[in-house]
Amino acid sequence: MSKTYKIAVVAGDGTGPEVIGEGCKVLQAAAQKFGFKLDLAPQDIGGARYLRTGEVLPDAVLADLKRVDAIYLGAIGHTDIKPGILEKGILLRIRFELDQYINLRPVHLFPGVECPIKGKGPKEIDYCCIRENSGGLYTGIGGLSRQGTRDEVAVQNMVYTYAQVERCLRFAFEYARAHGKQARGVGAVNKLALVGKSNVLTYMYELWNRVFAEVGAEFPDVQREYYHVDATCLYMIASPEMFDVIVTENMFGDIITDLAAITQGGLGIAAGGNINPKGVSMFEPIGGTAPMWTGKNAINPLAAIGAGAMMLAQLGETQAAHAIEGAIAATTPKMKSQMANQMGFTTTQLGDLVAGQI
Ligand code: IPM
Ligand code: MG
């Protein structure tokens, strides 16, 4: 009997359904080739349901999501709905309730993809960002007081517990040991860089740096580095080849991974995973709903397809994951651009091309 994985598919809004459709096509091709089954179950959550019924993420749906093997997500956000309602109510709620405390965002320039940085290619743009995904400014702790006066105060707290920092850094060290540049045969050492702001956020980085050294002592084979987040942005452009694995807190990770995405060809190709190493993980293209391109068969599905490959890797189907990555690498050199509507192919043509390579 071949193995069957149950996958909840949250295609979501905007171009989400189009890119996820191509992703599912490629995933099924890989499943067939490598002898496992995927039970892809579409979930009715997103802007359309909210506008129809007022429901964002019903508890019953959330309970179902806790019982699947993985979640495959397109994009969340709707032009007719106030920003924040769906993002917080769906995307962030799933991340928190399923305790997906790692956001894994590989930064990898595929062959033939134009890099906006002069003189940099696939050899230089080849690292990975691990974003802490459960704490920091995203906990929503804070508030407003003295409203209606000129002394009104807004507070939004950056909050971390020792346990949150420790589990994130442990994952990062393990990841660097297994997937660092030395482990992959492209560098002399495996490096893990902690990115922070210890010159200003002194309490926060007293904790992060201490735990970094503490956990790092168990990983003598991983070289430790520390960079301030502002300097990191500069280095990501000036000398991206210096990075191997980066680990950082939630908000810094949100910001630097958009910068990283453009250096790898843009949001059309950047994939990520929200990971709970012992629970249910969720994989998504980093880009949003792209309302301008919705329904035009013009959006780039490669980020969603790449997210599908990451999902298979997490499920333990490494060969199938590698096959999808190989098929993406065989497709990118044929494309004119990674930008929507300029690819030289339609969304569905690209899905067919990648699926055909498997
Ligand atoms: C991301 C997004 C989300 C985030 C938004 C949509 C809430 O920017 O996944 O990077 O801030 O985490
Ligand atoms: Mg973001």
Side-chain angles (χ1 to χ4, degrees):
M1 266 275 297
S2 68
K3 198 161 180 187
T4 301
Y5 299 100
K6 194 164 168 55
I7 310 295
V9 179
V10 182
D13 308 308
T15 49
E18 292 169 67
V19 296
I20 285 298
E22 299 315 305
C24 289
K25 192 190 273 178
V26 172
L27 283 168
Q28 290 296 18
Q32 205 177 5
K33 166 102 193 253
F34 291 93
F36 59 91
K37 289 202 168 63
L38 292 170
D39 172 5
L40 301 169
Q43 308 291 312
D44 176 23
I45 27 184
R49 179 171 186 161
Y50 179 72
L51 291 175
R52 210 171 62 239
T53 70
E55 292 165 301
V56 180
L57 178 58
D59 290 342
V61 177
L62 186 65
D64 286 344
L65 293 180
K66 290 182 179 165
R67 285 193 290 264
V68 295
D69 292 307
I71 304 168
Y72 191 36
L73 179 124
I76 297 292
H78 198 288
T79 42
D80 300 338
I81 302 169
K82 199 176 142 208
I85 295 181
L86 300 176
E87 293 85 344
K88 273 190 163 172
I90 300 175
L91 184 66
L92 297 183
R93 183 151 178 239
I94 296 175
R95 286 179 184 169
F96 285 130
E97 298 249 4
L98 275 62
D99 204 14
Q100 294 163 341
Y101 62 86
I102 296 294
N103 197 325
L104 187 63
R105 296 185 161 179
V107 189
H108 180 70
L109 188 73
F110 280 99
V113 175
E114 203 185 331
C115 178
I117 313 172
K118 202 171 98 192
K120 306 293 178 190
K123 197 171 161 289
E124 287 80 25
I125 310 287
D126 182 22
Y127 59 98
C128 177
C129 294
I130 294 175
R131 164 185 175 190
E132 201 292 327
N133 213 28
S134 71
L137 289 162
Y138 280 72
T139 45
I141 296 176
L144 293 168
S145 67
R146 300 183 201 159
Q147 267 175 293
T149 75
R150 291 195 54 81
D151 296 321
E152 181 173 358
V153 184
V155 178
Q156 193 102 34
N157 291 304
M158 187 185 267
V159 182
Y160 273 107
T161 66
Y162 176 93
Q164 278 176 313
V165 173
E166 198 266 348
R167 68 182 182 174
C168 170
L169 291 176
R170 186 167 294 283
F171 179 95
F173 276 109
E174 276 162 7
Y175 190 89
R177 174 177 278 174
H179 306 284
K181 284 188 169 169
Q182 185 189 12
R184 290 189 286 120
V186 296
V189 279
N190 294 324
K191 289 193 286 189
L192 179 63
L194 173 64
V195 165
K197 190 71 187 172
S198 62
N199 50 352
V200 176
L201 306 179
T202 45
Y203 302 126
M204 198 44 73
Y205 284 92
E206 148 74 32
L207 178 65
W208 277 83
N209 271 313
R210 177 168 17 95
V211 184
F212 191 54
E214 207 174 278
V215 179
E218 295 173 42
F219 296 82
D221 50 322
V222 178
Q223 186 180 310
R224 296 197 294 276
E225 297 177 338
Y226 169 86
Y227 301 107
H228 294 324
V229 63
D230 46 352
T232 300
C233 292
L234 190 154
Y235 299 141
M236 281 166 71
I237 303 302
S239 35
E241 62 279 2
M242 68 190 251
F243 294 117
D244 186 352
V245 181
I246 288 177
V247 61
T248 191
E249 71 85 39
N250 209 344
M251 181 60 83
F252 292 161
D254 177 46
I255 297 167
I256 69 167
T257 54
D258 263 34
L259 179 61
I262 195 67
T263 68
Q264 67 180 122
L267 291 172
I269 196 156
N274 301 275
I275 294 176
N276 175 339
K278 295 197 180 93
V280 181
S281 300
M282 172 167 72
F283 299 84
E284 54 170 337
I286 298 185
T289 51
M292 217 180 126
W293 300 113
T294 303
K296 299 206 164 88
N297 201 14
I299 195 80
N300 191 345
L302 291 186
I305 294 171
M310 290 181 74
M311 179 168 77
L312 294 186
Q314 175 75 13
L315 292 170
E317 297 293 344
T318 20
Q319 269 189 306
H322 284 145
I324 296 180
E325 278 156 15
I328 296 175
T331 302
T332 47
K334 300 179 185 145
M335 296 168 69
K336 281 202 195 118
S337 159
Q338 294 301 313
M339 307 294 273
N341 211 30
Q342 298 171 33
M343 306 181 296
F345 296 96
T346 64
T347 308
T348 42
Q349 280 173 339
L350 280 172
D352 291 339
L353 251 174
V354 178
Q357 296 275 350
I358 287 173

